[in-house]
Amino acid sequence: MTIDLFEPAEPAAAQRYVDVALPLPVRRAFTYALPSELASRVALGSRVAVPFSSRKLPGIVTRIDTTPAEGVSPRPIAGVLEDEPLFDPELLALLVEAADYYLHPIGEVLRAAAPALRAEAVRALRASGFLESATELPGARVATRSVLVVRLVPDAERPARLGPRQRQLLALLESRGEVTLEELADHLKEPRAIVRSLEQKGLVHTESREITADPFFRDPVASDAPPEPTSAQRAAIDALVGALRASQPATFLLHGVTGSGKTEVYLRAIAEARAQRKGALLLVPEIALTPQLVGRFRARFGDSIAVLHSALTEKERAVAWRALRSGAVTLAIGARSAIFAPVRDLGIIVVDEEHDPSYKQEEGFRYQARDLAILRAHRAGAVCVLGSATPSLESWSLAREGRHRLLTLDARPGARALPPVEIVDLARHAKGPSGDRRISAPLHRAIEQTLAAGDQAVLFLNRRGFSPSLRCEACGELETCPACSVPLTEHRRAGLVRCHYCDYAAPIGTTCRACGQPALEPLGLGTEKLEEVLAHTFAPARVARLDRDTATGASIEDVLDRVRRREIDLLVGTQMVTKGHDLPGVTLVGVILADQSLAFPDFRAAERTFQLLTQVAGRAGRGERPGRVIVQTYQPHHFAIRAAAKHDFLGFAESELEDRRELGYSPYGRLVAVRIDHGDPDRARAAAELIVAHARAHELSKSGRVEVLGPAPAPIERLRGRWRFRLMLRARERPPLRRVAQSVIARIDEGVLGARASVDVDPVSML
DNA sequence: AGCACGCCGACT
DNA sequence: GTCGGCGTGCTC
């Protein structure tokens, strides 16, 4: 290094500062000085390393050229962890706004959205003594797996003389595009030598690539020819293509009955976005993310798709993330959290089954992915498509107001009629031959006929366990959870009573905790008992059960595969049986007790019941043979059940909206004000913000649902030595106000809100 | 989250 | 007299 003493010193450049979000439970970023030697490598969205108290942490730059707040003396950024910014400004803005809206610490939100650091970045940091040995960075050590991918060299001249196995390999490549060496081993013995010789001839090209043993890409998929759309599909496709070509952001509600071909509409719209070299994002409910669904997209668009799912390792997730970020892959498919996938030049976001409750993250960073999809698409100037056979009433009323454009698909291609639904009034029908009144005579007969015809049946019961509660015949008390006071469910096979609210479990006792008498009797029917009764009554029929107790993750598909292979005649299950792919042998669907979801203490109970019945009914008759649905209920005249039986969404939606109006609700709920009084303004604010955070994600507690109206946090006012905080909330529950108040107070009592505040809740006005 | 500071109970 | 409980506050 040389120093020229005669050169005048450079004028000192003004010190620059940036805000960095750190992975801490703190809802703001911290200001750091930007050393001039790092300035060229730091931009919005960059991942940097910073000193923080006695530690060093990785963080994301959320603002550049900020001014430090008064009284703080920023420390300098210590290093840059990656050369390229992790987030583009648009996605960063979305994440910042989501963190802000749902009142969650920005650093934690960004950490959750970001991929793991590259191993070499971690090593370099550690070598420079920057990271303490104890510092865990996500995914710092994940095994990588690389695979040899073989592709045809385009337009290569073929020598006349080729071995039969060489020709076989070339033919395979022609139909498949590209193949991994491992896959070739399934078709030819010792493929390595053949590939090597073809590579020497310049006919194929090999490339080492990091790839996963991903279940979504395990099986090869033949490419498909797009089917000719029906006229209804054509109209929807034209509307979406038109919006994509106009480059105007627009949100569409695609209302299409089960089997009406919504997926084909998504495929065509996404194809148009791809033709415009724009990115696409498809969100599906957690449970619907299956290899079959992904297969349809692979068949149309090839394997260059990022499938984001929870089984990915940190390494796999980072690979998928970087492929999207770089623009090498332009289509992402995933559940809720995929809304934060770094898709470039977003042209379209599709939210399939937009009414599905799994779009709502219930824990930690509470957010509604469907709402964020609308926001993200709007920001990106992209088209957003919300698809459902049974739209949420929020989306439906927005469509009615003209805020979303409504597209309707009413015909089932191939004119498979929706199955007829029979309502069985449990109060009027004698119990069937099984002796259990929950298997009525009509249902019993229908099951017999189904089995006799060699068909399969699905029996839906939304209650896990053997019996939902135990009652003491001596004193009449129910066995309840010591922590939650919720009735304990008997899980006979596990030998446990279990609380479905907090997961408390204890061995099944014989004596009543209240009076000590040995008189506990099971009350009610769960899937475990139903399975037993069916196996006994319809022996030798093969009965299986699918619920959270029997199935975890991949085994859901395993059970459904067994049904497809006809190894099971009767399938008992909870919600889980309503989703997933076709079960063509199922001709009968029985809903054991529709009242169950109707009795839920939630203002959306009727809506959920309609959705559930519609979905479960859609499972019948998807194959060659016509389907049939039996719904058992004690409320045969309830409008949600009757509308579901008639496949009448419009009728249901109008009745439900009218019902909510009459009860003083808006389409989304009802207005209340929550007032928090506390001696300490910061604690009052903290309590209020927590309530807002819960409310924004539509879940204050299991029993009280509210959402926030207007800007929050509202100003604090001082009143007689107390600090008063007022929130405007819209309760989403029936009956709402007492429950909302109770759950807010309960949370404060639990210390969850971190303040000993007093709260009152009063109605303000109707919308 | 981690870490320091701080003010009240049982101990070498 | 000190060790340590975790309540409260702060970290750029």
Side-chain angles (χ1 to χ4, degrees), chain A residues 211-380:
Chain A
I211 206 165
T212 68
D214 194 316
F216 293 94
F217 292 95
R218 207 172 32 204
D219 302 323
V221 168
S223 61
D224 76 339
E228 193 53 39
T230 64
S231 61
Q233 283 173 326
R234 186 79 263 163
I237 292 163
D238 288 347
L240 295 175
V241 167
L244 276 162
R245 292 199 175 142
S247 294
Q248 285 287 318
T251 304
F252 292 85
L253 178 60
L254 177 62
H255 176 214
V257 299
T258 313
S260 62
K262 289 190 292 294
T263 308
E264 183 58 28
V265 175
Y266 304 153
L267 284 162
R268 297 288 191 122
I270 290 170
E272 171 65 23
R274 288 164 72 86
Q276 295 181 18
R277 312 216 145 268
K278 285 182 176 169
L281 181 49
L282 171 69
L283 299 187
V284 296
E286 249 152 47
I287 199 157
L289 188 60
T290 60
Q292 286 93 326
L293 173 108
V294 173
R296 290 193 64 177
F297 287 81
R298 289 172 62 203
R300 193 67 59 89
F301 302 125
D303 284 355
S304 187
I305 299 175
V307 179
L308 307 163
H309 56 94
S310 54
L312 291 180
T313 65
E314 282 291 344
K315 177 74 188 180
E316 292 166 340
R317 202 166 76 88
V319 168
W321 206 92
R322 295 204 162 89
L324 290 168
R325 178 78 180 101
S326 69
V329 171
T330 58
L331 169 58
I333 301 179
R336 187 175 58 219
S337 64
I339 187 57
F340 302 119
V343 177
R344 285 202 157 203
D345 300 320
L346 204 48
I348 184 167
I349 304 179
V350 177
V351 184
D352 189 28
E353 307 295 342
E354 64 87 25
H355 63 279
D356 195 279
S358 76
Y359 286 119
K360 197 168 70 183
Q361 168 109 62
E362 307 264 9
E363 235 129 62
F365 175 35
R366 292 162 174 263
Y367 62 93
Q368 228 303 354
R370 180 238 289 137
D371 296 351
L372 290 177
I374 297 167
L375 178 67
R376 184 170 179 187
H378 187 82
R379 289 280 192 70

Side-chain angles (χ1 to χ4, degrees), chain A residues 674-689 691 714-727 748 755-760:
Chain A
V674 175
R675 202 183 68 209
I676 298 168
D677 289 327
H678 191 272
D680 178 346
D682 291 336
R683 305 304 256 158
R685 177 181 289 276
E689 286 186 346
I691 293 171
I716 292 177
E717 49 182 284
R718 196 175 167 85
L719 185 86
R720 270 179 270 121
R722 311 278 302 165
W723 290 90
R724 171 165 292 191
F725 203 105
R726 204 190 294 271
L727 295 171
I748 288 165
R756 231 163 284 278
S758 67
V759 176
D760 65 36

Side-chain angles (χ1 to χ4, degrees), chain A residues 413-427:
Chain A
R416 276 178 301 174
L418 289 163
V421 179
E422 302 153 51
I423 300 174
V424 169
D425 183 353
L426 280 175

Side-chain angles (χ1 to χ4, degrees), chain A residues 640-674:
Chain A
I641 292 177
R642 296 184 68 89
K646 285 187 277 177
H647 308 291
D648 179 15
F649 172 78
L650 263 61
F652 165 74
E654 294 310 311
S655 303
E656 175 63 11
L657 286 173
E658 181 56 33
D659 205 37
R660 290 184 192 180
R661 247 193 311 275
E662 277 175 15
L663 284 159
Y665 293 78
S666 80
Y668 325 102
R670 183 170 174 176
L671 273 179
V672 297
V674 175

Side-chain angles (χ1 to χ4, degrees), chain A residues 533-608:
Chain A
V533 171
L534 290 170
H536 185 256
T537 309
F538 296 102
R542 296 156 300 176
V543 184
R545 170 162 61 107
L546 186 61
D547 58 29
R548 219 165 68 205
D549 298 324
T550 62
T552 50
S555 63
I556 300 174
E557 273 305 310
D558 293 344
V559 173
L560 294 175
D561 276 338
R562 277 167 58 213
V563 176
R564 279 179 210 118
R565 290 198 303 267
R566 303 272 180 159
E567 292 167 18
I568 291 165
D569 303 307
L570 303 176
L571 179 67
V572 173
T574 56
Q575 318 251 9
M576 277 185 190
V577 301
T578 61
K579 311 268 172 74
H581 251 248
D582 282 4
L583 299 174
V586 171
T587 56
L588 173 68
V589 163
V591 175
I592 301 297
L593 189 61
D595 308 53
Q596 207 129 58
S597 57
L598 220 43
F600 227 72
D602 183 323
F603 87 106
R604 271 181 285 206
E607 188 180 346
R608 289 287 298 140

